[in-house]
mmCIF file of all heavy atoms in Angstrom:
data_model
loop_
_atom_site.group_PDB
_atom_site.id
_atom_site.type_symbol
_atom_site.label_atom_id
_atom_site.label_comp_id
_atom_site.label_asym_id
_atom_site.label_seq_id
_atom_site.Cartn_x
_atom_site.Cartn_y
_atom_site.Cartn_z
ATOM 1 N N MET Z 1 0.827 -1.228 -0.015
ATOM 2 C CA MET Z 1 -0.016 0.010 0.023
ATOM 3 C C MET Z 1 0.870 1.271 0.054
ATOM 4 O O MET Z 1 0.544 2.249 -0.591
ATOM 5 C CB MET Z 1 -0.926 -0.063 1.220
ATOM 6 C CG MET Z 1 -1.954 -1.099 1.084
ATOM 7 S SD MET Z 1 -3.089 -1.272 2.483
ATOM 8 C CE MET Z 1 -4.219 0.018 2.254
ATOM 9 N N VAL Z 2 1.968 1.228 0.741
ATOM 10 C CA VAL Z 2 2.954 2.342 0.592
ATOM 11 C C VAL Z 2 3.450 2.481 -0.763
ATOM 12 O O VAL Z 2 3.622 3.637 -1.266
ATOM 13 C CB VAL Z 2 4.017 2.202 1.751
ATOM 14 C CG1 VAL Z 2 5.148 3.237 1.407
ATOM 15 C CG2 VAL Z 2 3.484 2.300 3.002
ATOM 16 N N ASP Z 3 3.626 1.347 -1.380
ATOM 17 C CA ASP Z 3 4.126 1.465 -2.902
ATOM 18 C C ASP Z 3 3.047 2.190 -3.734
ATOM 19 O O ASP Z 3 3.555 2.932 -4.636
ATOM 20 C CB ASP Z 3 4.358 -0.012 -3.354
ATOM 21 C CG ASP Z 3 4.921 0.138 -4.799
ATOM 22 O OD1 ASP Z 3 5.927 0.615 -5.121
ATOM 23 O OD2 ASP Z 3 4.093 -0.485 -5.669
ATOM 24 N N LEU Z 4 1.708 1.970 -3.404
ATOM 25 C CA LEU Z 4 0.738 2.656 -4.197
ATOM 26 C C LEU Z 4 0.815 4.096 -3.906
ATOM 27 O O LEU Z 4 0.648 4.994 -4.818
ATOM 28 C CB LEU Z 4 -0.649 2.150 -3.758
ATOM 29 C CG LEU Z 4 -1.041 0.770 -4.326
ATOM 30 C CD1 LEU Z 4 -2.329 0.244 -3.672
ATOM 31 C CD2 LEU Z 4 -1.039 0.746 -5.761
ATOM 32 N N GLU Z 5 1.047 4.508 -2.594
ATOM 33 C CA GLU Z 5 1.261 5.875 -2.361
ATOM 34 C C GLU Z 5 2.411 6.558 -3.165
ATOM 35 O O GLU Z 5 2.267 7.618 -3.772
ATOM 36 C CB GLU Z 5 1.562 6.095 -0.833
ATOM 37 C CG GLU Z 5 0.326 5.895 0.097
ATOM 38 C CD GLU Z 5 0.735 6.210 1.484
ATOM 39 O OE1 GLU Z 5 1.839 5.726 1.965
ATOM 40 O OE2 GLU Z 5 -0.067 6.868 2.183
ATOM 41 N N ALA Z 6 3.560 5.865 -3.152
ATOM 42 C CA ALA Z 6 4.682 6.336 -3.807
ATOM 43 C C ALA Z 6 4.461 6.552 -5.319
ATOM 44 O O ALA Z 6 4.959 7.530 -6.055
ATOM 45 C CB ALA Z 6 5.925 5.507 -3.512
ATOM 46 N N ARG Z 7 3.735 5.607 -5.915
ATOM 47 C CA ARG Z 7 3.585 5.595 -7.373
ATOM 48 C C ARG Z 7 2.475 6.655 -7.801
ATOM 49 O O ARG Z 7 2.495 7.123 -8.957
ATOM 50 C CB ARG Z 7 3.264 4.172 -7.943
ATOM 51 C CG ARG Z 7 4.537 3.312 -7.889
ATOM 52 C CD ARG Z 7 4.236 1.965 -8.663
ATOM 53 N NE ARG Z 7 3.469 1.024 -7.886
ATOM 54 C CZ ARG Z 7 2.232 0.587 -8.323
ATOM 55 N NH1 ARG Z 7 1.766 1.138 -9.490
ATOM 56 N NH2 ARG Z 7 1.578 -0.228 -7.608
ATOM 57 N N SER Z 8 1.534 6.816 -6.833
ATOM 58 C CA SER Z 8 0.312 7.701 -7.232
ATOM 59 C C SER Z 8 0.502 9.095 -6.776
ATOM 60 O O SER Z 8 -0.159 9.978 -7.289
ATOM 61 C CB SER Z 8 -0.947 7.110 -6.574
ATOM 62 O OG SER Z 8 -0.821 7.214 -5.178
ATOM 63 N N THR Z 9 1.425 9.292 -5.761
ATOM 64 C CA THR Z 9 1.488 10.651 -5.129
ATOM 65 C C THR Z 9 0.233 11.145 -4.313
ATOM 66 O O THR Z 9 0.122 12.248 -4.094
ATOM 67 C CB THR Z 9 1.888 11.805 -6.074
ATOM 68 O OG1 THR Z 9 0.725 12.147 -6.874
ATOM 69 C CG2 THR Z 9 3.080 11.504 -6.996
ATOM 70 N N PHE Z 10 -0.505 10.134 -3.954
ATOM 71 C CA PHE Z 10 -1.665 10.401 -3.081
ATOM 72 C C PHE Z 10 -1.517 9.684 -1.745
ATOM 73 O O PHE Z 10 -1.241 8.451 -1.650
ATOM 74 C CB PHE Z 10 -3.040 9.921 -3.682
ATOM 75 C CG PHE Z 10 -3.491 10.791 -4.868
ATOM 76 C CD1 PHE Z 10 -3.028 10.620 -6.162
ATOM 77 C CD2 PHE Z 10 -4.424 11.818 -4.598
ATOM 78 C CE1 PHE Z 10 -3.533 11.483 -7.248
ATOM 79 C CE2 PHE Z 10 -4.824 12.638 -5.551
ATOM 80 C CZ PHE Z 10 -4.433 12.543 -6.880
ATOM 81 N N GLY Z 11 -1.587 10.420 -0.647
ATOM 82 C CA GLY Z 11 -1.533 9.875 0.618
ATOM 83 C C GLY Z 11 -2.781 8.934 0.950
ATOM 84 O O GLY Z 11 -3.834 9.225 0.407
ATOM 85 N N PHE Z 12 -2.596 8.034 1.837
ATOM 86 C CA PHE Z 12 -3.617 7.023 2.027
ATOM 87 C C PHE Z 12 -4.868 7.736 2.606
ATOM 88 O O PHE Z 12 -6.040 7.407 2.350
ATOM 89 C CB PHE Z 12 -2.968 6.044 3.108
ATOM 90 C CG PHE Z 12 -3.984 4.927 3.462
ATOM 91 C CD1 PHE Z 12 -4.501 4.007 2.540
ATOM 92 C CD2 PHE Z 12 -4.465 4.783 4.791
ATOM 93 C CE1 PHE Z 12 -5.298 2.964 2.937
ATOM 94 C CE2 PHE Z 12 -5.297 3.769 5.122
ATOM 95 C CZ PHE Z 12 -5.724 2.867 4.264
ATOM 96 N N GLN Z 13 -4.726 8.686 3.539
ATOM 97 C CA GLN Z 13 -5.737 9.391 4.170
ATOM 98 C C GLN Z 13 -5.641 10.925 3.799
ATOM 99 O O GLN Z 13 -5.754 11.730 4.740
ATOM 100 C CB GLN Z 13 -5.899 9.121 5.634
ATOM 101 C CG GLN Z 13 -6.217 7.701 5.969
ATOM 102 C CD GLN Z 13 -6.240 7.507 7.484
ATOM 103 O OE1 GLN Z 13 -5.419 8.086 8.290
ATOM 104 N NE2 GLN Z 13 -7.141 6.710 7.924
ATOM 105 N N GLY Z 14 -5.466 11.197 2.545
ATOM 106 C CA GLY Z 14 -5.287 12.705 2.189
ATOM 107 C C GLY Z 14 -3.992 13.210 2.623
ATOM 108 O O GLY Z 14 -2.981 12.827 2.002
ATOM 109 N N ASN Z 15 -3.990 13.940 3.723
ATOM 110 C CA ASN Z 15 -2.764 14.559 4.219
ATOM 111 C C ASN Z 15 -1.880 13.620 5.084
ATOM 112 O O ASN Z 15 -0.719 13.842 5.395
ATOM 113 C CB ASN Z 15 -2.957 15.896 4.998
ATOM 114 C CG ASN Z 15 -3.457 16.953 4.095
ATOM 115 O OD1 ASN Z 15 -3.137 17.086 2.979
ATOM 116 N ND2 ASN Z 15 -4.286 17.824 4.666
ATOM 117 N N ARG Z 16 -2.565 12.359 5.485
ATOM 118 C CA ARG Z 16 -1.883 11.451 6.207
ATOM 119 C C ARG Z 16 -1.254 10.321 5.324
ATOM 120 O O ARG Z 16 -2.070 9.635 4.638
ATOM 121 C CB ARG Z 16 -2.713 10.862 7.374
ATOM 122 C CG ARG Z 16 -2.050 9.879 8.283
ATOM 123 C CD ARG Z 16 -3.009 9.245 9.123
ATOM 124 N NE ARG Z 16 -3.340 10.180 10.193
ATOM 125 C CZ ARG Z 16 -4.292 10.106 11.118
ATOM 126 N NH1 ARG Z 16 -5.077 9.011 10.893
ATOM 127 N NH2 ARG Z 16 -4.561 10.914 12.040
ATOM 128 N N TRP Z 17 0.017 10.131 5.398
ATOM 129 C CA TRP Z 17 0.511 9.057 4.478
ATOM 130 C C TRP Z 17 0.812 7.793 5.399
ATOM 131 O O TRP Z 17 1.257 7.951 6.484
ATOM 132 C CB TRP Z 17 1.948 9.559 3.923
ATOM 133 C CG TRP Z 17 1.765 10.615 2.882
ATOM 134 C CD1 TRP Z 17 1.268 11.790 3.042
ATOM 135 C CD2 TRP Z 17 2.004 10.456 1.515
ATOM 136 N NE1 TRP Z 17 1.213 12.525 1.794
ATOM 137 C CE2 TRP Z 17 1.724 11.769 0.903
ATOM 138 C CE3 TRP Z 17 2.623 9.518 0.609
ATOM 139 C CZ2 TRP Z 17 1.879 11.990 -0.526
ATOM 140 C CZ3 TRP Z 17 2.826 9.735 -0.719
ATOM 141 C CH2 TRP Z 17 2.513 10.960 -1.172
ATOM 142 N N LEU Z 18 0.397 6.722 4.753
ATOM 143 C CA LEU Z 18 0.604 5.444 5.483
ATOM 144 C C LEU Z 18 2.046 5.194 5.692
ATOM 145 O O LEU Z 18 2.467 4.516 6.617
ATOM 146 C CB LEU Z 18 -0.084 4.333 4.626
ATOM 147 C CG LEU Z 18 -0.283 2.897 5.342
ATOM 148 C CD1 LEU Z 18 -1.211 3.127 6.627
ATOM 149 C CD2 LEU Z 18 -0.850 1.918 4.292
ATOM 150 N N ALA Z 19 2.903 5.684 4.744
ATOM 151 C CA ALA Z 19 4.278 5.501 4.826
ATOM 152 C C ALA Z 19 4.849 6.114 6.154
ATOM 153 O O ALA Z 19 5.923 5.553 6.644
ATOM 154 C CB ALA Z 19 5.016 6.090 3.713
ATOM 155 N N ASP Z 20 4.174 7.060 6.750
ATOM 156 C CA ASP Z 20 4.753 7.623 7.949
ATOM 157 C C ASP Z 20 4.295 6.837 9.274
ATOM 158 O O ASP Z 20 4.756 7.203 10.285
ATOM 159 C CB ASP Z 20 4.226 9.133 8.039
ATOM 160 C CG ASP Z 20 4.725 10.029 6.996
ATOM 161 O OD1 ASP Z 20 5.850 9.782 6.473
ATOM 162 O OD2 ASP Z 20 4.060 11.000 6.576
ATOM 163 N N VAL Z 21 3.341 5.901 9.057
ATOM 164 C CA VAL Z 21 2.977 5.113 10.260
ATOM 165 C C VAL Z 21 3.947 4.242 10.768
ATOM 166 O O VAL Z 21 4.125 4.152 11.999
ATOM 167 C CB VAL Z 21 1.631 4.393 9.935
ATOM 168 C CG1 VAL Z 21 1.220 3.396 10.959
ATOM 169 C CG2 VAL Z 21 0.424 5.376 9.552
ATOM 170 N N ALA Z 22 4.678 3.634 9.856
ATOM 171 C CA ALA Z 22 5.647 2.587 10.402
ATOM 172 C C ALA Z 22 6.888 2.653 9.403
ATOM 173 O O ALA Z 22 7.155 1.704 8.697
ATOM 174 C CB ALA Z 22 5.113 1.210 10.405
ATOM 175 N N PRO Z 23 7.564 3.774 9.283
ATOM 176 C CA PRO Z 23 8.612 3.955 8.358
ATOM 177 C C PRO Z 23 9.713 2.859 8.439
ATOM 178 O O PRO Z 23 10.497 2.465 7.516
ATOM 179 C CB PRO Z 23 9.193 5.339 8.552
ATOM 180 C CG PRO Z 23 8.688 5.661 9.848
ATOM 181 C CD PRO Z 23 7.425 5.065 10.074
ATOM 182 N N ASP Z 24 9.860 2.422 9.751
ATOM 183 C CA ASP Z 24 10.948 1.351 9.981
ATOM 184 C C ASP Z 24 10.663 -0.025 9.168
ATOM 185 O O ASP Z 24 11.545 -0.813 9.136
ATOM 186 C CB ASP Z 24 10.933 0.986 11.522
ATOM 187 C CG ASP Z 24 9.722 0.635 12.004
ATOM 188 O OD1 ASP Z 24 8.655 1.356 11.887
ATOM 189 O OD2 ASP Z 24 9.475 -0.461 12.670
ATOM 190 N N LEU Z 25 9.525 -0.196 8.635
ATOM 191 C CA LEU Z 25 9.191 -1.371 7.855
ATOM 192 C C LEU Z 25 9.550 -1.204 6.461
ATOM 193 O O LEU Z 25 9.507 -2.219 5.668
ATOM 194 C CB LEU Z 25 7.734 -1.701 8.083
ATOM 195 C CG LEU Z 25 7.146 -2.031 9.417
ATOM 196 C CD1 LEU Z 25 5.636 -2.368 9.342
ATOM 197 C CD2 LEU Z 25 7.863 -3.265 9.950
ATOM 198 N N LEU Z 26 9.957 -0.037 6.052
ATOM 199 C CA LEU Z 26 10.302 0.300 4.633
ATOM 200 C C LEU Z 26 11.915 0.291 4.469
ATOM 201 O O LEU Z 26 12.579 0.729 5.408
ATOM 202 C CB LEU Z 26 9.730 1.623 4.235
ATOM 203 C CG LEU Z 26 8.364 1.835 4.539
ATOM 204 C CD1 LEU Z 26 7.884 3.287 4.237
ATOM 205 C CD2 LEU Z 26 7.431 0.849 3.685
ATOM 206 N N ASP Z 27 12.382 -0.185 3.317
ATOM 207 C CA ASP Z 27 13.730 -0.235 3.183
ATOM 208 C C ASP Z 27 14.142 1.304 2.658
ATOM 209 O O ASP Z 27 13.270 2.069 2.306
ATOM 210 C CB ASP Z 27 14.267 -1.223 2.014
ATOM 211 C CG ASP Z 27 13.462 -1.030 0.692
ATOM 212 O OD1 ASP Z 27 13.032 0.011 0.382
ATOM 213 O OD2 ASP Z 27 13.425 -2.153 -0.030
ATOM 214 N N ALA Z 28 15.430 1.531 2.436
ATOM 215 C CA ALA Z 28 15.847 2.891 2.020
ATOM 216 C C ALA Z 28 15.283 3.319 0.710
ATOM 217 O O ALA Z 28 14.894 4.497 0.559
ATOM 218 C CB ALA Z 28 17.372 2.950 2.060
ATOM 219 N N GLU Z 29 15.208 2.409 -0.221
ATOM 220 C CA GLU Z 29 14.683 2.718 -1.588
ATOM 221 C C GLU Z 29 13.314 3.151 -1.466
ATOM 222 O O GLU Z 29 12.859 4.121 -2.239
ATOM 223 C CB GLU Z 29 14.868 1.474 -2.400
ATOM 224 C CG GLU Z 29 14.389 1.754 -3.872
ATOM 225 C CD GLU Z 29 14.584 0.621 -4.868
ATOM 226 O OE1 GLU Z 29 15.018 -0.539 -4.409
ATOM 227 O OE2 GLU Z 29 14.191 0.673 -6.009
ATOM 228 N N MET Z 30 12.407 2.434 -0.788
ATOM 229 C CA MET Z 30 11.046 2.880 -0.559
ATOM 230 C C MET Z 30 10.889 4.235 0.124
ATOM 231 O O MET Z 30 9.930 5.057 -0.198
ATOM 232 C CB MET Z 30 10.229 1.796 0.012
ATOM 233 C CG MET Z 30 8.689 2.115 0.216
ATOM 234 S SD MET Z 30 8.031 2.544 -1.363
ATOM 235 C CE MET Z 30 8.062 0.926 -2.260
ATOM 236 N N ARG Z 31 11.708 4.430 1.133
ATOM 237 C CA ARG Z 31 11.555 5.738 1.858
ATOM 238 C C ARG Z 31 12.002 6.783 1.018
ATOM 239 O O ARG Z 31 11.399 7.968 1.014
ATOM 240 C CB ARG Z 31 12.515 5.657 3.089
ATOM 241 C CG ARG Z 31 12.007 4.832 4.272
ATOM 242 C CD ARG Z 31 12.741 5.097 5.585
ATOM 243 N NE ARG Z 31 14.108 4.793 5.506
ATOM 244 C CZ ARG Z 31 14.603 3.576 5.847
ATOM 245 N NH1 ARG Z 31 13.798 2.527 6.286
ATOM 246 N NH2 ARG Z 31 15.912 3.376 5.898
ATOM 247 N N SER Z 32 12.961 6.592 0.081
ATOM 248 C CA SER Z 32 13.306 7.647 -0.858
ATOM 249 C C SER Z 32 12.246 7.858 -1.930
ATOM 250 O O SER Z 32 11.901 9.095 -2.218
ATOM 251 C CB SER Z 32 14.629 7.176 -1.616
ATOM 252 O OG SER Z 32 14.927 8.197 -2.568
ATOM 253 N N ALA Z 33 11.540 6.818 -2.356
ATOM 254 C CA ALA Z 33 10.444 6.945 -3.222
ATOM 255 C C ALA Z 33 9.328 7.739 -2.632
ATOM 256 O O ALA Z 33 8.655 8.529 -3.289
ATOM 257 C CB ALA Z 33 10.020 5.636 -3.692
ATOM 258 N N VAL Z 34 9.055 7.443 -1.350
ATOM 259 C CA VAL Z 34 7.959 8.275 -0.757
ATOM 260 C C VAL Z 34 8.308 9.682 -0.629
ATOM 261 O O VAL Z 34 7.523 10.566 -0.804
ATOM 262 C CB VAL Z 34 7.594 7.629 0.677
ATOM 263 C CG1 VAL Z 34 6.713 8.475 1.465
ATOM 264 C CG2 VAL Z 34 7.074 6.231 0.515
ATOM 265 N N ALA Z 35 9.498 9.953 -0.298
ATOM 266 C CA ALA Z 35 9.887 11.454 -0.217
ATOM 267 C C ALA Z 35 9.713 12.095 -1.488
ATOM 268 O O ALA Z 35 9.241 13.335 -1.610
ATOM 269 C CB ALA Z 35 11.396 11.522 0.265
ATOM 270 N N SER Z 36 10.154 11.447 -2.608
ATOM 271 C CA SER Z 36 9.939 12.033 -3.972
ATOM 272 C C SER Z 36 8.505 12.148 -4.290
ATOM 273 O O SER Z 36 8.006 13.177 -4.855
ATOM 274 C CB SER Z 36 10.657 11.120 -5.054
ATOM 275 O OG SER Z 36 12.024 11.051 -4.738
ATOM 276 N N ALA Z 37 7.611 11.086 -3.871
ATOM 277 C CA ALA Z 37 6.175 11.192 -4.144
ATOM 278 C C ALA Z 37 5.583 12.488 -3.405
ATOM 279 O O ALA Z 37 4.651 13.110 -3.964
ATOM 280 C CB ALA Z 37 5.538 9.935 -3.712
ATOM 281 N N LYS Z 38 6.029 12.705 -2.163
ATOM 282 C CA LYS Z 38 5.462 13.856 -1.430
ATOM 283 C C LYS Z 38 5.765 15.127 -2.092
ATOM 284 O O LYS Z 38 4.959 16.041 -2.173
ATOM 285 C CB LYS Z 38 6.069 13.818 0.066
ATOM 286 C CG LYS Z 38 5.530 12.651 0.868
ATOM 287 C CD LYS Z 38 5.999 12.793 2.282
ATOM 288 C CE LYS Z 38 5.395 11.673 3.163
ATOM 289 N NZ LYS Z 38 5.956 11.715 4.529
ATOM 290 N N ARG Z 39 6.941 15.310 -2.635
ATOM 291 C CA ARG Z 39 7.385 16.484 -3.382
ATOM 292 C C ARG Z 39 6.544 16.592 -4.640
ATOM 293 O O ARG Z 39 6.066 17.642 -4.986
ATOM 294 C CB ARG Z 39 8.887 16.460 -3.729
ATOM 295 C CG ARG Z 39 9.830 16.708 -2.436
ATOM 296 C CD ARG Z 39 11.178 16.811 -2.898
ATOM 297 N NE ARG Z 39 11.774 15.711 -3.574
ATOM 298 C CZ ARG Z 39 12.464 14.755 -2.986
ATOM 299 N NH1 ARG Z 39 12.528 14.846 -1.697
ATOM 300 N NH2 ARG Z 39 12.988 13.803 -3.669
ATOM 301 N N ALA Z 40 6.317 15.427 -5.331
ATOM 302 C CA ALA Z 40 5.504 15.570 -6.507
ATOM 303 C C ALA Z 40 4.068 15.901 -6.130
ATOM 304 O O ALA Z 40 3.440 16.472 -6.981
ATOM 305 C CB ALA Z 40 5.607 14.191 -7.265
ATOM 306 N N ALA Z 41 3.537 15.353 -4.978
ATOM 307 C CA ALA Z 41 2.203 15.594 -4.643
ATOM 308 C C ALA Z 41 2.035 17.073 -4.419
ATOM 309 O O ALA Z 41 0.945 17.688 -4.861
ATOM 310 C CB ALA Z 41 1.929 14.840 -3.339
ATOM 311 N N MET Z 42 2.946 17.748 -3.832
ATOM 312 C CA MET Z 42 2.821 19.164 -3.625
ATOM 313 C C MET Z 42 2.830 19.981 -4.956
ATOM 314 O O MET Z 42 1.981 20.811 -5.121
ATOM 315 C CB MET Z 42 4.050 19.608 -2.863
ATOM 316 C CG MET Z 42 4.095 19.127 -1.389
ATOM 317 S SD MET Z 42 2.725 19.699 -0.467
ATOM 318 C CE MET Z 42 3.157 21.514 -0.222
ATOM 319 N N GLU Z 43 3.575 19.459 -5.795
ATOM 320 C CA GLU Z 43 3.587 20.181 -7.227
ATOM 321 C C GLU Z 43 2.370 19.892 -7.959
ATOM 322 O O GLU Z 43 1.755 20.782 -8.592
ATOM 323 C CB GLU Z 43 4.811 19.662 -8.032
ATOM 324 C CG GLU Z 43 4.885 20.323 -9.403
ATOM 325 C CD GLU Z 43 4.898 21.770 -9.584
ATOM 326 O OE1 GLU Z 43 5.238 22.440 -8.513
ATOM 327 O OE2 GLU Z 43 4.848 22.359 -10.590
ATOM 328 N N ARG Z 44 1.835 18.625 -7.792
ATOM 329 C CA ARG Z 44 0.572 18.213 -8.431
ATOM 330 C C ARG Z 44 -0.580 19.085 -7.899
ATOM 331 O O ARG Z 44 -1.419 19.647 -8.673
ATOM 332 C CB ARG Z 44 0.276 16.802 -8.274
ATOM 333 C CG ARG Z 44 -1.115 16.301 -8.760
ATOM 334 C CD ARG Z 44 -1.351 14.769 -8.457
ATOM 335 N NE ARG Z 44 -1.063 14.439 -7.099
ATOM 336 C CZ ARG Z 44 -1.973 14.693 -6.102
ATOM 337 N NH1 ARG Z 44 -3.022 15.344 -6.267
ATOM 338 N NH2 ARG Z 44 -1.669 14.164 -4.882
ATOM 339 N N MET Z 45 -0.674 19.264 -6.630
ATOM 340 C CA MET Z 45 -1.760 19.974 -5.997
ATOM 341 C C MET Z 45 -1.547 21.463 -6.326
ATOM 342 O O MET Z 45 -2.622 22.204 -6.557
ATOM 343 C CB MET Z 45 -1.717 19.814 -4.458
ATOM 344 C CG MET Z 45 -2.208 18.434 -4.077
ATOM 345 S SD MET Z 45 -2.416 18.276 -2.262
ATOM 346 C CE MET Z 45 -0.623 18.240 -1.663
#
């Protein structure tokens, strides 16, 4: 589900990203993808 957030640039609950709930469960690559997705989300909005 975090991968869906990263690929879509849409947080799971609007402004709340599921990725932030348990970031320790994500590897470095996914955390980096989420950070990029959040930047893209700001530009998309």
